[in-house]
Amino acid sequence: MEAPTATSLQLVPVDLIDPAEDNFRGPVGDVTELAELIKAQGLLQAITVTPKPDDRYKVVFGHRRLAAVQQLGWTEIEAKVREYTDAERLPVMFVENMGREALTQLQEARAYHAMLELTDEQGKKVYNQRTLATKVGIGQAKISNYTSIFKLPEDVIAALDAGGITMTQAIQLTRIAKYPDRVRAALASWRSYGDMEIAVRRQQDEIEREQARAKKLKELKSTGVRIAPDDWMGAGGRRIGPGFPVQIEPEEHAGEPCHAATVNAAGEVIYVCMEPERHRSAPPTEGEPPDRDESVASERAPLSVVPAPPTLTPEEEAAEAARREEEAGRQAAAQARLEALHAAAETRTLALKTLLAGRLGRSAEPTRQFVNWLLLRLVDDTADDSFACQVLGLELPPDVDVVGDDEAAGLLLTFASKNNDALQRAAAAVAFQIAEEQLQGEYPNFRSHIVQLYYDYLLKAGVYELSDVERAELLDAGVEVPEPAPDTAKEEDTA
């Protein structure tokens, strides 16, 4: 380290010495014991000060010793007087503090940050991360990581200061520091499930999906199609296509005024009918000719007398109308449930994709438990492993639909043969697939032991939060479901 000007040892009036406002350690705290020690043994080591332009002095080393002699009422203190510029003073303060008694990680980070903010007379930064690393003998990567935490919200830095999170966890959170709400969501997930790496990775994936969805929605708007509202199910909309509530091909429905489109959480374009009642078949009104098929059938069938429907009393008509309304309500609720289950399945797929995108970390143990228990209970094999490939991010050949084909099966086996971690991830993906197969269709089997183990695993792994419809179905199946973690941010707002 560069040597400043020569040092002189002298007695300096205590009332002319000011503590450094940028002392890395912050307040000196209680110095009573130190004062008693100095009273008994004397000042064993002089403090170090640097002259100020106003004929006063600033402490470089010895803030606690100065406070202790002030408490004792001393008027003078032995001090080493040495000229320092701020660019020289801060690094030697840092090294001296680290040598005497390690700074906390947050104090260390603040020290690096303060030194990187130093400017010369022309306003140019004195140090960059590389030159500062050389100056204080610390790796540049550490300086970069530690100073990155100041991009986080103040309440997160306060949590680090209070010991609520570690420096490693704070550095992990900096990957999403541009999104404060996402940082707090990751913290809430970590508090519930205990794995910050997965909590952050999950938020990163959701950010990427939101950005991809926004881009695709913009492209969709440019085609002129009507965009369904985000809460299209709540607005009465229903999915279009075979197997969905409005069983019309999207191409056939495109000309209808109720046609709309949106992009789901998985980034897929889906088509929606915003007025499904328009497509319900109704009996022909009086005087309306039957459709062509009915006309042909009537030509072939023998004539018969169809009795007129009985005349209903006003009370019976009202009861019949109420019955029809109740039935329509039941159908609407069933459709809404089906849509919610489908959305939950999409969300589970995305959550598992996040989990299997990297090392399993703390979720490795619940993963092993899930796989082992599942294999113990498993009695049937599965022939289609396409879901396993999907959550592993493996692309199937365009002409292969299921992993039962030799070419596609080789894709999964090749991935699993890379190393032990890949083997475990592949096995987990197949186990997930087995559980997911019991959750497909209109009547998912929430009473299945496999499904219940699956949900228990999802919650323990910390990658998934139950939707309202899943929570209700599990409770109805007699499963004890943990309550959702409280919204910490909202609690703080109302405090």
Side-chain angles (χ1 to χ4, degrees), residues 39-53:
K39 182 179 179 181
Q41 300 181 5
L43 187 67
L44 300 179
Q45 184 179 12
I47 68 172
T48 300
V49 298
T50 188
K52 295 171 63 178

Side-chain angles (χ1 to χ4, degrees), residues 285-439:
T285 56
E286 187 176 352
E288 179 183 359
D291 63 32
R292 193 177 65 83
D293 292 339
E294 289 176 348
S295 299
V296 173
S298 64
E299 290 173 2
R300 296 175 182 172
L303 294 175
S304 61
V305 177
V306 179
T311 303
L312 301 177
T313 66
E315 292 79 8
E316 291 172 332
E317 286 182 352
E320 178 62 20
R323 186 195 65 76
R324 285 196 299 268
E325 184 177 351
E326 183 180 347
E327 177 61 25
R330 276 197 298 269
Q331 290 182 5
Q335 290 177 347
R337 172 181 171 272
L338 188 60
E339 292 287 354
L341 288 169
H342 184 76
E346 291 176 343
T347 307
R348 287 196 305 274
T349 300
L350 294 174
L352 295 172
K353 191 172 182 179
T354 296
L355 176 68
L356 297 180
R359 289 190 172 275
L360 295 173
R362 290 189 181 181
S363 65
E365 184 56 32
T367 300
R368 282 193 292 270
Q369 290 178 355
F370 170 69
V371 172
N372 290 339
W373 275 105
L374 184 62
L375 293 176
L376 285 173
R377 293 174 181 266
L378 189 61
V379 292
D380 294 322
D381 291 329
T382 177
D384 177 6
D385 288 333
S386 57
F387 179 90
C389 284
Q390 182 185 354
V391 297
L392 284 168
L394 303 178
E395 292 186 10
L396 295 174
D399 56 338
V400 176
D401 294 327
V402 296
V403 190
D405 295 271
D406 292 341
E407 205 171 349
L411 190 67
L412 188 63
L413 292 174
T414 300
F415 175 83
S417 65
K418 289 181 179 179
N419 50 51
N420 287 338
D421 187 73
L423 175 62
Q424 183 165 317
R425 284 196 277 162
V430 172
F432 299 155
Q433 174 177 290
I434 294 168
E436 279 291 334
E437 286 174 352
Q438 300 200 34
L439 288 169

Side-chain angles (χ1 to χ4, degrees), residues 158-298:
L160 171 62
D161 196 17
I165 59 174
T166 66
M167 178 61 79
T168 299
Q169 290 166 339
I171 292 169
Q172 288 172 332
L173 287 168
T174 62
R175 303 205 301 259
I176 51 175
K178 290 196 297 184
Y179 309 93
D181 289 344
R182 291 289 184 185
V183 171
R184 294 185 179 99
L187 273 171
S189 179
W190 166 74
R191 288 184 182 119
S192 296
Y193 305 111
D195 193 319
M196 187 68 81
E197 172 65 29
I198 289 182
V200 170
R201 197 193 310 158
R202 177 182 175 189
Q203 296 303 318
Q204 285 180 299
D205 285 352
E206 290 188 9
I207 290 167
E208 290 176 7
R209 285 195 291 268
E210 281 183 1
Q211 292 172 343
R213 181 175 183 270
K215 181 180 178 182
K216 193 162 284 190
L217 272 174
K218 185 176 180 181
E219 294 171 354
L220 199 56
K221 285 179 183 177
S222 68
T223 67
V225 68
R226 175 187 176 189
I227 302 299
D230 288 341
D231 185 25
W232 54 268
M233 276 196 291
R238 296 292 177 263
R239 284 279 295 271
I240 300 168
F244 292 107
V246 181
Q247 299 194 30
I248 304 174
E249 291 291 346
E251 295 79 6
E252 297 176 13
H253 191 268
E256 300 287 340
C258 50
H259 186 73
T262 189
V263 179
N264 65 12
E268 303 166 334
V269 176
I270 60 173
Y271 295 95
V272 176
C273 174
M274 295 306 299
E275 300 176 52
E277 294 292 332
R278 295 182 68 252
H279 303 289
R280 289 195 176 181
S281 58
T285 56
E286 187 176 352
E288 179 183 359
D291 63 32
R292 193 177 65 83
D293 292 339
E294 289 176 348
S295 299
V296 173
S298 64

Side-chain angles (χ1 to χ4, degrees), residues 2 46 59 82 106 111 114 137 260 372 466:
E2 299 174 303
V59 179
R82 178 179 289 189
L106 183 56
N372 290 339
L466 292 177

Side-chain angles (χ1 to χ4, degrees), residues 114-177:
M115 288 185 278
L116 289 172
E117 291 299 307
L118 284 172
T119 56
D120 60 19
E121 293 177 354
Q122 287 74 42
K124 183 181 177 182
K125 292 287 180 69
V126 176
Y127 301 111
N128 57 34
Q129 290 182 0
R130 180 180 56 80
T131 56
L132 179 60
T134 302
K135 184 76 173 176
V136 298
I138 297 291
Q140 182 179 344
K142 183 177 183 180
I143 292 175
S144 175
N145 283 333
Y146 273 44
T147 54
S148 69
I149 68 168
F150 297 108
K151 300 173 186 176
L152 294 168
E154 286 297 326
D155 57 316
V156 180
I157 296 174
L160 171 62
D161 196 17
I165 59 174
T166 66
M167 178 61 79
T168 299
Q169 290 166 339
I171 292 169
Q172 288 172 332
L173 287 168
T174 62
R175 303 205 301 259
I176 51 175

